Amino acid sequence: MAGSTEGTRPLVLVTAWRRSGKVWGEWERDIVGAEGFYVSALQRAGTSPVLAPVGIPGTAASLLSHVRGLLVIGGEDLHPDVTGADPATVGSNALADRDRWEIELLDAALDCDLPVLAICRGMQLLNVARGGTLHVDVSGSSDVHPPVPEDIDEALAYRHDVSLTPGSLLARAYGTQSKSVNSLHHQAIDRLGDGLVVTGRATDGAIEAIEPVGAAWCAAMQWHPELLPEDAAEVSLFREFAQRCSA
């Protein structure tokens, strides 16, 4: 049944990374997953997350007919074959097949008015899907965007301010036009894609939030709301997403 739920909790499809090689110890492994922060945030908000590894091309719309929302997670750089970026600027875990699959998921979800939450890499992917381009490295470009920390505690402690467009989806969800956020990224939006509007910027001018024009509900942000479970505004964002998925 289209839009099926598990009990009263709407099913949300969550994109997943892939790791191959000696991920743990000396064994060669091939692993699909997503950070537990995303899963926990969705569960606390009242949804049931379901992981979506790279699928068979042409099947995204069919897969999405069984869920009520889509979360595109952060993580790896986008592959040069998809972005046109210099391969030397891109991390080793980038996968073109994953990028193309998630673009297919995004397109299909927006075509059928499924609620979409696109975080960090997810926002960049949405921009590329609409023909936009990326800055390949903004890490260290300003005090607002210092080098990405390797230590998770340092990453969680870092904050900077973002201004939100009055009346935008995020301004309504948060109930404010400015917010302290925790962007952790080295790529960022350069040229905006077709049919997208900027709804949030950092004080150094970096694009921090976008929305597709005419979408039923699609929030795309550069920061990581899933890493801030004690932030009442971010909790409200996930609850808003869950409510939209239940509608």
Side-chain angles (χ1 to χ4, degrees):
M1 178 183 296
S4 62
T5 61
E6 180 182 294
T8 59
R9 289 174 169 258
L11 295 178
V12 173
L13 203 66
V14 180
T15 58
W17 43 252
R18 186 172 185 176
R19 304 279 195 276
S20 297
K22 295 179 180 179
V23 182
W24 295 313
E26 292 301 311
W27 287 13
E28 292 286 338
R29 295 174 181 258
D30 188 7
I31 303 172
V32 170
E35 286 77 3
F37 295 105
Y38 298 106
V39 173
S40 296
L42 288 171
Q43 289 175 331
R44 284 193 301 267
T47 74
S48 291
V50 180
L51 289 187
V54 176
I56 299 170
T59 64
S62 175
L63 178 60
L64 289 170
S65 69
H66 298 284
V67 301
R68 299 290 294 273
L70 173 66
L71 169 60
V72 185
I73 68 171
E76 281 73 25
D77 293 338
L78 303 186
H79 197 277
D81 288 354
V82 176
T83 65
D86 180 353
T89 67
V90 176
S92 60
N93 287 320
L95 292 173
D97 287 347
R98 176 189 174 187
D99 296 342
R100 295 187 183 102
W101 168 246
E102 292 180 7
I103 287 172
E104 184 182 339
L105 284 173
L106 272 170
D107 288 342
L110 292 172
D111 284 347
C112 67
D113 290 335
L114 209 65
V116 174
L117 191 57
I119 295 174
C120 193
R121 176 188 180 279
M123 184 187 81
Q124 297 167 11
L125 190 76
L126 174 60
N127 189 61
V128 170
R130 294 299 178 91
T133 62
L134 301 178
H135 291 295
V136 296
D137 189 359
V138 297
S139 178
S141 62
S142 72
D143 291 340
V144 175
H145 291 96
V148 177
E150 295 183 3
D151 182 81
I152 186 64
D153 291 330
E154 182 184 351
L156 290 173
Y158 177 70
R159 297 287 189 279
H160 71 267
D161 292 335
V162 166
S163 297
L164 301 173
T165 302
S168 64
L169 187 155
L170 287 177
R172 296 195 307 270
Y174 288 133
T176 183
Q177 295 175 23
S178 64
K179 192 178 186 308
S180 175
V181 303
N182 61 335
S183 298
L184 308 167
H185 59 104
H186 78 275
Q187 293 187 324
I189 291 177
D190 181 9
R191 188 184 72 247
L192 194 65
D194 298 335
L196 301 173
V197 293
V198 176
T199 57
R201 285 188 184 272
T203 54
D204 64 355
I207 296 173
E208 294 273 345
I210 59 175
E211 295 176 19
V213 176
W217 199 95
C218 178
M221 70 284 295
Q222 187 61 73
W223 60 92
H224 284 268
E226 80 286 355
L227 293 179
L228 303 173
E230 305 304 320
D231 186 322
E234 303 299 3
V235 172
S236 295
L237 173 65
F238 277 100
R239 286 177 177 168
E240 170 76 7
F241 177 56
Q243 290 169 0
R244 294 288 178 168
C245 293
S246 296

